[in-house]
Amino acid sequence: MGTWTGLIENRKKPEPREIRVEKGTLVEFRHNSDRVLAVVQGTEGKKNLLLGVPSGQVHSVHPRQITFAINGSSSFTPSDIPGFWEAVQAKLDPESLAVAWELVQEERHAFSLVELAQLLFSDDSPISTYATYRLLSEDRTYFKPKGEGYEPRTPAQVKEILHQMAVTRQRQQEQAEFEAHLQQALAGQKQVWTPAERARLELLERLALQGAAAGIRNHEDLSQNLNPSDRERALQLLQQMGFPPSPQGAFDALVALGLWSRHENLALRLTGIPTQFPKEVEQYTQTLLENPPAERVARRDLTALHTYTIDDASTRDIDDALSIESWSEEQVKLWIHIADPSRWVQWGDPLDLEARKRGTSVYLPEQVIPMFPPQLSTGPMSLVQGEVRPALSFGVVLGCEGQIHDFEICLSHIKVTYRLTYEDADEMLELGAEEELTAIARAAQWRYAWRLAQGAIQIGLPEQDIKVIDEIPHLRVIEDTPSRQMVAEMMVLTGEVAARFAYQNGIPVPYRLQPAPDLPPPETLDLYPQGPVRSFAIMRCLSRAEVGTQPGRHTGLGLDAYCQVTSPIRRYADLLAHYQIKAFLQGDPPPLTESDVQQVLLALEPGTAEAIQVERKSKRYWSIEYLRLRPGQVWRALVLGYLREQENLVLVMLDEIAFRVPVRLERQIPLGAWIELEVVQADPRADVIELQQVKDR
């Protein structure tokens, strides 16, 4: 029988070894990625061996492809291979290697394959030897190749390898579970995501937000957080889910997973505005509700007054109420009651710090994000009908010409008699059903006339009210009705009284000021049609309101001093004024110096500006969606003003929904003209709205 001597490369060993291979020798070789048992049947050329397999096929194989040869027996035929392999498989228990390693782990030398076969199976037959080789060739834990043999790893090495294997198995299991959760979520099943899964999904959120970041405060910081590695992980996850690897693909994936709505407010998500309260604040709130703080001073009992709250029907945090104590044709004694949240929140406590961080409540078409937890803001802080509530009450003696004759401020208890909507109040005023309410409205008219005489600027542009219910926007125009004028005038009066009181008593508070605008001369203004067109022209000239610690002229209101105090549940600057005034009324020094007030105002400014921006963007989004849902509708619009006259670019107001939008006309049209428009394109997600004038029909 002929022999062939060559170098057989062992894949696990650093050095090749010489093996005598005779015809009839059983060998293992690599065919593509498979390990194949075959029998040597001869040679081909100078190097290759001819190897037979059970199917009858013969392979011409270079010696380098042979990974193992079973020496000591050259009587194998291809038909013997199935039985041989079945016997080997019966011995392939990886746990047997662990047992063998336990016996020799302290040895620091290599063991031959025959020695390990004896250790594992108590014999070194071809079946046991090959089974030992197969176990060792797949082992990455207990033994490592060394020279012609295998050396046991140290206990420390085995411990670390087992730990890494456990970590890998855990990751694989988590990945499999994550993939299963993804598929279930895509199929519409609600999922409870683990923290690790949420972290991976947050990568998609950050990628989606990059596509909407332009123009939003702080978006640069957010986009920088998605580093190249995180971005790559997000893109891989999208590809795995079958979505395009892009910000829009990430948005679509999050909607499909049920994590985001198709109308997700990305402007809100791009800000730092928190939509939930921290657990510690919730716990502190619950403690307050269970153990209300004691009052330090007695409050004046004003519960006998006939008291009204007037708000929109959807309002839940009611922070102002109106009463009248006496009235005649010459003067009235009014009471404006403002909710007193400082009964529950103190400067520097957890509620105060959280409210200061938020700066304001945020009113969006689809939700309200309150400054205080709702358990307080709509509960004991709110002026609820029929309930005795603490308030900061402003008593004002007003003359028939609208001038303030006298005023007082006190801590009080009130009890609301009527909780009215604006529609209710308008109807009662029209019918003269409530004498007190009628007297308050008349006093508001005195006051408004007085302010106009002082130079107040009259603006009359309709505003929108947008509410979203089940992802459907509902729009209406807020009319400047008698009840709204009455409430607005009483709030302005309260702000003037608060400013006067603070200045006279040296109390540092935030004052609101508005520099005088550079208005066109009266003869030029008279060229603009009265109503929204003239109001828009004036509004474009107005300076932005400012906040400071010293009183100054508020040109728009026609007042020499003004301090907002009427929304302490919703605006932190108002609450700040309450802290200061309340301390004075209690005989205590104000908690903040003028410098402190200035610092707080500076800290509040970015957050309040951000909230205003989000509110505006959200209203615009839903206005565009409202138009998108009404294809083919013709909209009546008022031309308010030219934005770029040479391009015939005008700003119009859609009459039905008071939505102001630029439109490019084919020819110039006079200001104040009514035109008909139709929607060409409306995409709220892309912030695109295009209208064109309907041609004469």
Side-chain angles (χ1 to χ4, degrees):
M1 183 179 293
T3 63
W4 182 91
T5 301
L7 294 178
I8 306 301
E9 182 182 8
N10 187 310
R11 293 171 60 86
K12 286 284 290 176
K13 297 177 183 179
E15 298 293 337
R17 58 191 175 89
E18 185 177 287
I19 299 176
R20 180 179 293 273
V21 181
E22 298 178 347
K23 186 176 180 180
T25 300
L26 186 64
V27 299
E28 177 193 272
F29 74 99
R30 290 283 181 178
H31 180 64
N32 297 326
S33 59
D34 297 325
R35 302 170 71 165
V36 181
L37 285 174
V39 175
V40 177
Q41 295 186 333
T43 61
E44 183 178 61
K46 295 182 179 180
K47 294 184 177 181
N48 282 17
L49 295 173
L50 295 175
L51 304 180
V53 296
S55 67
Q57 185 178 3
V58 177
H59 296 265
S60 179
V61 175
H62 191 280
R64 282 195 298 269
Q65 290 178 255
I66 297 177
T67 51
F68 190 77
I70 300 172
N71 290 325
S73 177
S74 57
S75 58
F76 280 93
T77 65
S79 61
D80 295 327
I81 292 175
F84 178 86
W85 174 238
E86 184 177 354
V88 169
Q89 282 184 303
K91 294 176 177 285
L92 296 182
D93 179 8
E95 292 299 320
S96 61
L97 277 182
V99 174
W101 176 81
E102 288 284 351
L103 297 174
V104 298
Q105 61 177 297
E106 300 300 331
E107 302 291 339
R108 297 275 71 84
H109 64 85
F111 291 82
S112 69
L113 195 60
V114 170
E115 289 175 319
L116 289 174
Q118 289 282 359
L119 187 63
L120 286 167
F121 305 116
S122 301
D123 71 78
D124 58 358
S125 66
I127 290 174
S128 295
T129 302
Y130 183 62
T132 301
Y133 166 73
R134 287 295 293 251
L135 287 170
L136 288 167
S137 66
E138 295 175 4
D139 174 48
R140 299 293 184 272
T141 307
Y142 299 103
F143 293 89
K144 60 183 178 181
K146 187 173 183 181
E148 292 292 324
Y150 299 85
E151 182 179 81
R153 299 183 190 274
T154 66
Q157 290 173 333
V158 170
K159 181 179 179 180
E160 177 60 24
I161 291 171
L162 291 174
H163 170 71
Q164 292 300 328
M165 290 172 64
V167 169
T168 300
R169 284 194 300 271
Q170 179 67 24
R171 288 176 179 169
Q172 291 172 342
Q173 181 180 350
E174 290 175 353
Q175 175 64 20
E177 291 175 352
F178 180 52
E179 291 175 1
H181 290 165
L182 288 175
Q183 293 306 313
Q184 291 165 2
L186 291 173
Q189 300 178 29
K190 189 173 180 59
Q191 299 298 309
V192 178
W193 304 96
T194 67
E197 290 171 339
R198 279 297 317 171
R200 296 180 68 177
L201 294 170
E202 283 171 5
L203 296 179
L204 295 185
E205 293 179 357
R206 288 173 18 218
L207 177 61
L209 290 173
Q210 281 189 332
I216 302 296
R217 186 185 301 271
N218 293 334
H219 78 271
E220 296 88 352
D221 295 337
L222 184 143
S223 62
Q224 288 172 1
N225 287 340
L226 194 62
N227 57 45
S229 174
D230 286 344
R231 181 180 176 84
E232 183 60 30
R233 291 172 61 198
L235 297 178
Q236 289 175 357
L237 179 55
L238 286 173
Q239 290 177 322
Q240 175 188 335
M241 295 168 60
F243 287 89
S246 65
Q248 183 60 47
F251 180 90
D252 294 338
L254 291 164
V255 173
L257 291 169
L259 294 170
W260 280 8
S261 158
R262 63 194 180 97
H263 294 295
E264 193 71 23
N265 193 325
L266 300 188
L268 174 62
R269 282 190 170 272
L270 279 165
T271 70
I273 298 172
T275 58
Q276 302 293 328
F277 286 90
K279 288 184 178 179
E280 55 270 22
V281 173
E282 295 278 5
Q283 292 169 353
Y284 183 80
T285 299
Q286 189 59 39
T287 300
L288 278 181
L289 291 170
E290 294 171 358
N291 301 285
E295 289 267 41
R296 291 186 50 238
V297 297
R299 292 177 177 269
R300 188 186 300 187
D301 185 357
L302 297 178
T303 57
L305 292 172
H306 208 68
T307 303
Y308 307 87
T309 61
I310 306 173
D311 288 279
D312 287 310
S314 60
T315 302
R316 294 292 175 264
D317 47 355
I318 302 170
D319 51 15
D320 59 81
L322 304 176
S323 303
I324 189 165
E325 183 177 327
S326 62
W327 62 95
S328 69
E329 295 297 323
E330 300 299 323
Q331 68 176 29
V332 296
K333 173 67 179 291
L334 299 165
W335 283 98
I336 303 103
H337 314 284
I338 308 301
D340 182 15
S342 65
R343 166 71 177 86
W344 297 90
V345 57
Q346 306 296 319
W347 170 259
D349 73 8
L351 276 171
D352 172 75
L353 295 176
E354 181 67 18
R356 202 184 313 170
K357 181 173 70 175
R358 292 167 178 259
T360 181
S361 294
V362 184
Y363 291 87
L364 306 176
E366 66 273 32
Q367 65 173 317
V368 175
I369 305 172
M371 190 173 75
F372 286 114
Q375 306 97 297
L376 284 172
S377 62
T378 64
M381 285 183 179
S382 184
L383 303 182
V384 178
Q385 180 182 3
E387 300 288 338
V388 176
R389 287 289 190 258
L392 188 62
S393 293
F394 295 74
V396 186
V397 177
L398 198 68
C400 61
E401 294 183 356
Q403 72 276 29
I404 297 173
H405 288 171
D406 195 10
F407 64 83
E408 61 178 313
I409 303 177
C410 67
L411 297 170
S412 66
H413 278 123
I414 68 165
K415 187 175 183 180
V416 174
T417 312
Y418 287 129
R419 193 267 200 246
L420 304 176
T421 66
Y422 287 108
E423 292 75 15
D424 295 334
D426 283 325
E427 185 176 357
M428 294 174 76
L429 288 172
E430 183 178 356
L431 297 174
E434 286 281 324
E435 188 178 11
E436 292 94 334
L437 197 63
T438 300
I440 296 172
R442 184 178 61 176
Q445 293 171 353
W446 294 349
R447 181 67 180 167
Y448 182 58
W450 179 86
R451 286 197 305 108
L452 288 179
Q454 304 305 307
I457 298 173
Q458 184 179 10
I459 299 290
L461 276 175
E463 294 294 333
Q464 290 178 308
D465 178 58
I466 308 178
K467 294 289 186 294
V468 175
I469 303 172
D470 295 331
E471 297 191 340
I472 301 297
H474 301 266
L475 273 70
R476 67 185 179 97
V477 178
I478 300 176
E479 302 290 349
D480 194 16
T481 65
S483 66
R484 290 184 182 275
Q485 294 170 359
M486 175 180 67
V487 172
E489 205 56 51
M490 291 298 101
M491 298 306 104
V492 173
L493 174 60
T494 306
E496 183 185 8
V497 169
R500 283 196 194 184
F501 184 82
Y503 183 68
Q504 290 172 4
N505 293 285
I507 306 169
V509 296
Y511 294 95
R512 290 190 68 83
L513 311 87
Q514 187 179 43
D518 185 15
L519 291 175
E523 56 271 20
T524 301
L525 279 178
D526 288 341
L527 298 177
Y528 292 93
Q530 287 190 355
V533 175
R534 187 176 298 182
S535 292
F536 178 69
I538 294 173
M539 190 177 68
R540 296 177 75 175
C541 300
L542 293 180
S543 304
R544 287 187 58 187
E546 302 171 359
V547 183
T549 55
Q550 289 293 322
R553 179 75 175 169
H554 193 298
T555 303
L557 297 178
L559 301 177
D560 291 329
Y562 179 65
C563 170
Q564 283 186 321
V565 292
T566 57
S567 293
I569 301 177
R570 310 175 190 182
R571 291 191 299 251
Y572 189 83
D574 294 37
L575 177 64
L576 189 61
H578 274 238
Y579 284 147
Q580 300 291 85
I581 293 172
K582 184 176 181 180
F584 179 86
L585 294 175
Q586 293 180 150
D588 299 329
L592 287 84
T593 65
E594 182 177 338
S595 176
D596 294 334
V597 171
Q598 184 65 43
Q599 290 302 312
V600 172
L601 293 177
L602 288 173
L604 289 176
E605 195 279 330
T608 52
E610 193 170 59
I612 291 170
Q613 188 179 39
V614 171
E615 289 175 346
R616 288 175 177 169
K617 284 183 173 290
S618 301
K619 290 183 70 174
R620 176 176 169 84
Y621 177 96
W622 286 108
S623 296
I624 297 174
E625 174 66 5
Y626 187 89
L627 296 174
R628 187 191 70 81
L629 292 172
R630 289 158 177 79
Q633 182 167 337
V634 174
W635 301 89
R636 186 167 179 262
L638 177 67
V639 179
L640 292 176
Y642 276 88
L643 301 177
R644 289 196 293 272
E645 192 167 356
Q646 67 278 12
E647 300 176 22
N648 291 338
L649 184 66
V650 299
L651 186 74
V652 303
M653 181 177 67
L654 304 187
D655 181 47
E656 185 177 325
I657 58 175
F659 182 46
R660 299 195 285 269
V661 60
V663 174
R664 183 170 278 103
L665 303 175
E666 293 183 0
R667 58 184 177 81
Q668 286 198 347
I669 290 179
L671 298 182
W674 289 95
I675 59 176
E676 290 185 334
L677 300 171
E678 59 184 357
V679 176
V680 176
Q681 185 180 9
D683 184 348
R685 182 60 63 204
D687 192 30
V688 171
I689 176 65
E690 182 182 351
L691 298 101
Q692 68 180 11
Q693 189 173 2
V694 177
K695 295 183 179 179
D696 295 337
R697 291 173 291 182

